[in-house]
Structure formats: structure tokens, C-alpha cells
């Protein structure tokens, strides 16, 4: 049975869907004021991998990843850019979707935007006020009473006394208690606002996710995910306000992916090591980045350096080379389940252990090479189908081997022209000219292979 590490229990828990055969999962998405960075890429890929594998296990999955489209940073960035908030957020949502698609991440089943769920947000805040869990302060803001929820801190394993030590109160805040957090910000000049029973304003970040998650998936669902940095305070606050408002247990399993570091340092614009997905896609194929992100366990810290991406590219190249010229065949062996698939599923069932699962892909690739050397075309086809099938469970190896090995690049047309010229020289038995063209292609990083079916090439 599939077991997932649950931040709430600090142990691996068996996934038992609330509704048999149907898993409902909510993941905290992006605040859309800039291009997505490598940390966002990890969220896209990790939870897309989870969805793919659950579906491969025969489960129906409803996957919701929200979009925060109203926020202090969004308001400030729109002013800087001289555009409306809608123009800014629409532009970055489109860019985000392009980046996710390049990483081979499938679109979520739902992508709710905070501004489209103001009604649900207002309803939840009103309930919290009625039940004494929230209050309107003198400055017009509405705050959540943290001490009204005795279980506060259980997700992040923190006590209220520990939290109080680091709590701060800004000059413009009117909290009853330094631990309280804002649910609704009173309207300010030149900022968007919505009418509300407790005064015009706009939602705080934490309440947005509670309202959208319960609206899309119900008051009680199976998995809530996001980056480890969201454990506190965002997810802690989500639990407190959601459960106080609904009276239901919010989410059964809390999944958090690890941090991303750049050359051993925290990724930050101030350090000059801030990498957007677009920066990386300018040099590497999106599937290579996906492999890099899956090559480490999702809960472990991930360190980026260029050499690590190059190693990922080399590894994925070896897998595609195994699939090169392998004919299509059924992935189901006649003698029953394949031993490789058993090993692969055992790794994935152990908290999505993708490093071990990827190792199984290489075992299959080696078996394909052995079948190729033995001239066993049927076994090659069978193993090739298994490799594609297992790769699909984590979103890899679904493209054409030739297309991947040749890659893109602005020089592709020139390479094709050189290969055509070399083929012409070979047909004319101009061997010296053919060798010159091979050397020129090699200098461009292109390896040429002459086969019975014609000339094939790939990048070194």
C-alpha cells in the first residue's frame, strides 16, 4: 500500500481515500507578480508526479492548485509596471502555465483564483466572527484569535509560548494578541477592495486558501501540499481557520517538498542567484529539468548547480538512447506482471521514492541493450514498452527518442544541411569530403551514425 510522509503526524501514513477510489488534493500555488523560479518548478513537478502515479494506480484524482491574484506585492508591481492588476496577473498566469507545460506538468483539474472566490472568503470570515474565533479591530482589519484554537501549532510542532517570543506587531496593526493574524485588510486609498459586512477591504493570504480549498474539495479532503516554507505560518493558519469555521478535520495528509538552494546558498534575488524557469529553459530542455527535480527525493533539500543539470541531461540521454529504434509493443508481458514494474512500484509506494524508481528505469534500459546485442527484437520491444510505461508514471520518456537526442537549437537547420551534404558526398563516393563534413559536425557537438535505414544523428 502507498505510504506518504505526513507532516502533521511526522510519520509515514497509508493513503486511504475518504471516498473509496477518489483522492482529492489541494496544493498551494503561485502568487502571480513575477516569473516562476526553480522553487516553483519543484512544486509543479513534484505534485504532478504524485497525481500521475496515483492515477497509474487506478485512483481517480481531483487536483486543485490555487492562484493568488491579489496581494501587496501584486499591487506594488502593477503600479511599477503602469498596468492594471488584472493585466499583470493575467500576463504572469499565462507565463506560469507555459513554464509548467515545458516541465511536462499537466494542468490541474482546478486552478481557482482568489479574486473569483471573494464570496466564499466573506462567508468563512463571517462564521469565524460569529463563533468568536475572529474580531474586527479598531483599524478596520479583521483578525483571527489564535488562542481561541487550542490545537494551534500542531502542524509545525510549535507551542504558543515559543511563537510569542518571535511575534511582532506592526505600527498600523491593532491586534488583541501579537499571535493573531489578519483575515481581512480594511480598504486603503488606491487599492482594490470589496464590500463586506465588516467593512470594505480585501482578503488576507491565509483565508484565501481555506475558502478555495473547501469550496473546490469540501470541508475534509485527502492531501494538502506545498513547499516546506509554507508549513508555518500559512498552513498552520489554514488548519486553524478552516477547522474553526467548518467543524471538520481539514486535510488527512500534509505533504511538503524540500527547499531549493543555488550552489549551496539560499536562492534569493539579493544574492544574485535567483533563477527563473525561463532562465533554465533557455539552455536546457524542460524534460531535463524535470528529471533533475525528480532525481532527489521530494522531501530532501535540493541543491542546484549547472553541473547537476548536465548530469541529469546525460542520464536522460542514456534512457532515450536505449529507446532509440525500439519498435512499439504491448507493455503487458504474457507471463504476468514484470519484475521491473514491481520494483518501480515498491519504490513509489514508499513515499514517492523517485531516486529508487529512476534507478529501476536504468535497469530496464540495460536489459534493452542486452536484448539489442543478442538480436532479440521482440524482447527489445517488450522492454521498451515497459520503460515507456514506467516513465509515464513520473512524466518522463514520452517523447520521440530521435527528437530528444537531436534537441532543438538555432543551428538545427545548418546541421541538417551538413548531413544532407555528407550523404550526397557518400553517394558520390567522395570519401575525403564525407570525412571533412563528419569532422565539421563533430566540431558542432554532433555525432553521426550510418545505419541500414540511413544517417541518424544526435548531439554529444
Amino acid at each position: 500500500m502507498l505510504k506518504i510522509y505526513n507532516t502533521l503526524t511526522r510519520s509515514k501514513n497509508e493513503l486511504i481515500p475518504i471516498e473509496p477510489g477518489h483522492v482529492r488534493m489541494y496544493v498551494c500555488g503561485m502568487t502571480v507578480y513575477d516569473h516562476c523560479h526553480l522553487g516553483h518548478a519543484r512544486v509543479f513537478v513534484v505534485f504532478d508526479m504524485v497525481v500521475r502515479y496515483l492515477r497509474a494506480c487506478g485512483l481517480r484524482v481531483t487536483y486543485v492548485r490555487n492562484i493568488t491574484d491579489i496581494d501587496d506585492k501584486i499591487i506594488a508591481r502593477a503600479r511599477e509596471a503602469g498596468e492594471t492588476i488584472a493585466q499583470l496577473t493575467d500576463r504572469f498566469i499565462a507565463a506560469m502555465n507555459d513554464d509548467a507545460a515545458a516541465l511536462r506538468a499537466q494542468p490541474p483539474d482546478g486552478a481557482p483564483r482568489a479574486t473569483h472566490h471573494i464570496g466564499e472568503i466573506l462567508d468563512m470570515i463571517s462564521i469565524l466572527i460569529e463563533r468568536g474565533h475572529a474580531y474586527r479591530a479598531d483599524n478596520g482589519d479583521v483578525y483571527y484569535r489564535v488562542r481561541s484554537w487550542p490545537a494551534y501549532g500542531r502542524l509545525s510542532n510549535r507551542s504558543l509560548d515559543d511563537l510569542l517570543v518571535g511575534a511582532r506587531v506592526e505600527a498600523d496593526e491593532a491586534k488583541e494578541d501579537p499571535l493573531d493574524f489578519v483575515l481581512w485588510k480594511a480598504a486603503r486609498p488606491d487599492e482594490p477592495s470589496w464590500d463586506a459586512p465588516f467593512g470594505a477591504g480585501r482578503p488576507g493570504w491565509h483565508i484565501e486558501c481555506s475558502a478555495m480549498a473547501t469550496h473546490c474539495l469540501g470541508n475534509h479532503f485527502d492531501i494538502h501540499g506545498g513547499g516546506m516554507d509554507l508549513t508555518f505560518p500559512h498552513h498552520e493558519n489554514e488548519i486553524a481557520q478552516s477547522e474553526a469555521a467548518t467543524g471538520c478535520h481539514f486535510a488527512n495528509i500534509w505533504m511538503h517538498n524540500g527547499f531549493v538552494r543555488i550552489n549551496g546558498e539560499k536562492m534569493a534575488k539579493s544574492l544574485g542567484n535567483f533563477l527563473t524557469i525561463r532562465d533554465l529553459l533557455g539552455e536546457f530542455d524542460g524534460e531535463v529539468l524535470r528529471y533533475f527535480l525528480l532525481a532527489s527525493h521530494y522531501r530532501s533539500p535540493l541543491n542546484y548547480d549547472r553541473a547537476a543539470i548536465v548530469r541529469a541531461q546525460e542520464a536522460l540521454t542514456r534512457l532515450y538512447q536505449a529507446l532509440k529504434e525500439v519498435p512499439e509493443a504491448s507493455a503487458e508481458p504474457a507471463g504476468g506482471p514484470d519484475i521491473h514494474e514491481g520494483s518501480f512500484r515498491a519504490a513509489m509506494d514508499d513515499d514517492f521514492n523517485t531516486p529508487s524508481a529512476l534507478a529501476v528505469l536504468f535497469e530496464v534500459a540495460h536489459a534493452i541493450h542486452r536484448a539489442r546485442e543478442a538480436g532479440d527484437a521482440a524482447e527489445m520491444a517488450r522492454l521498451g514498452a515497459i520503460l515507456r510505461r514506467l516513465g509515464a508514471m513520473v512524466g518522463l520518456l514520452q517523447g520521440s527518442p530521435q527528437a530528444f537526442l537531436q534537441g532543438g537549437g538555432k543551428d538545427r537547420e545548418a546541421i541538417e544541411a551538413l548531413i544532407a551534404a555528407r550523404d550526397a558526398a557518400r553517394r558520390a563516393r567522395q570519401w575525403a569530403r564525407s570525412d571533412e563534413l563528419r569532422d565539421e559536425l563533430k566540431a558542432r557537438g554532433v555525432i553521426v551514425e550510418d545505419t541500414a535505414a540511413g544517417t541518424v544523428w544526435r548531439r554529444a
Side-chain angles (χ1 to χ4, degrees), residues 3 5 12 42 46 49 255-259 292-302 347-348 350-356:
K3 290 187 176 182
Y5 184 84
K12 293 179 185 179
R42 197 174 199 190
V46 163
M49 171 272 295
M255 291 183 66
H256 293 97
N257 63 268
F259 293 109
F292 164 71
L293 293 165
L294 293 175
S296 297
H297 191 274
Y298 78 89
R299 285 192 290 114
S300 67
L302 177 66
M348 293 296 287
D350 182 16
D351 193 28
F352 305 104
N353 188 341
T354 52
S356 293

Side-chain angles (χ1 to χ4, degrees), residues 81-92:
E83 57 187 335
T84 67
I85 287 172
Q87 289 170 333
L88 178 88
T89 55
D90 286 349
R91 178 160 59 88
F92 283 120

Side-chain angles (χ1 to χ4, degrees), residues 321-327 372 380 401 449 451 453 456:
Q321 283 176 331
L323 287 172
K324 189 175 62 175
E325 300 174 11
V326 173
R372 180 179 280 116
M380 282 175 59
E449 297 177 28
T451 71
V456 296

Side-chain angles (χ1 to χ4, degrees), residues 216-450:
C216 295
L217 298 176
N219 295 340
H220 181 204
F221 53 92
D222 300 287
I223 300 173
H224 194 310
M228 194 171 290
D229 56 316
L230 300 182
T231 307
F232 184 86
H234 185 52
H235 289 165
E236 195 75 71
N237 292 351
E238 274 193 71
I239 291 173
Q241 62 202 8
S242 300
E243 296 188 0
T246 68
C248 298
H249 183 65
F250 188 38
N252 282 354
I253 293 177
W254 287 81
M255 291 183 66
H256 293 97
N257 63 268
F259 293 109
V260 175
R261 299 174 69 82
I262 307 292
N263 296 320
E265 293 184 311
K266 179 182 177 181
M267 183 172 62
K269 288 184 178 180
S270 60
L271 296 174
N273 64 354
F274 186 86
L275 285 174
T276 69
I277 298 173
R278 304 204 151 198
D279 293 333
L280 294 166
L281 289 174
E283 185 174 4
F284 297 101
D285 184 88
E287 190 174 0
V288 170
L289 299 181
R290 185 182 182 95
Y291 184 98
F292 164 71
L293 293 165
L294 293 175
S296 297
H297 191 274
Y298 78 89
R299 285 192 290 114
S300 67
L302 177 66
N303 185 59
Y304 166 86
D305 61 58
R306 190 179 182 283
I309 300 285
V310 171
R311 288 194 295 273
Q313 180 169 275
E314 292 168 348
L316 192 57
T317 297
R318 291 198 298 275
L319 292 174
Y320 268 117
Q321 283 176 331
L323 287 172
K324 189 175 62 175
E325 300 174 11
V326 173
E328 298 287 341
S330 170
E332 295 296 337
D338 181 78
I339 187 173
H340 298 295
E341 181 163 346
S343 299
F344 184 93
R345 286 184 178 272
M348 293 296 287
D349 285 346
D350 182 16
D351 193 28
F352 305 104
N353 188 341
T354 52
S356 293
L358 295 182
V360 175
L361 299 186
F362 282 97
E363 292 174 8
V364 181
H366 293 324
I368 292 173
H369 287 307
R370 290 194 294 271
R372 180 179 280 116
E373 291 171 0
D376 191 338
E379 180 67 355
M380 282 175 59
R382 186 187 74 84
L383 291 167
I386 290 170
L387 184 54
R388 292 187 182 95
R389 173 185 168 86
L390 299 183
M393 294 185 190
V394 290
L396 297 171
L397 304 176
Q398 301 309 290
S400 158
Q402 181 176 339
F404 177 84
L405 294 171
Q406 291 180 352
K410 298 177 181 178
D411 61 344
R412 186 183 179 95
E413 188 174 328
I415 291 170
E416 296 282 6
L418 287 170
I419 288 173
R422 180 175 176 274
D423 286 344
R426 284 170 57 81
R427 286 194 298 272
R429 296 182 176 276
Q430 297 173 352
W431 307 120
R433 177 58 178 161
S434 171
D435 290 344
E436 288 174 5
L437 290 166
R438 178 190 283 273
D439 290 342
E440 186 173 347
L441 286 161
K442 184 177 181 180
R444 288 175 173 264
V446 174
I447 295 174
V448 177
E449 297 177 28
D450 299 314

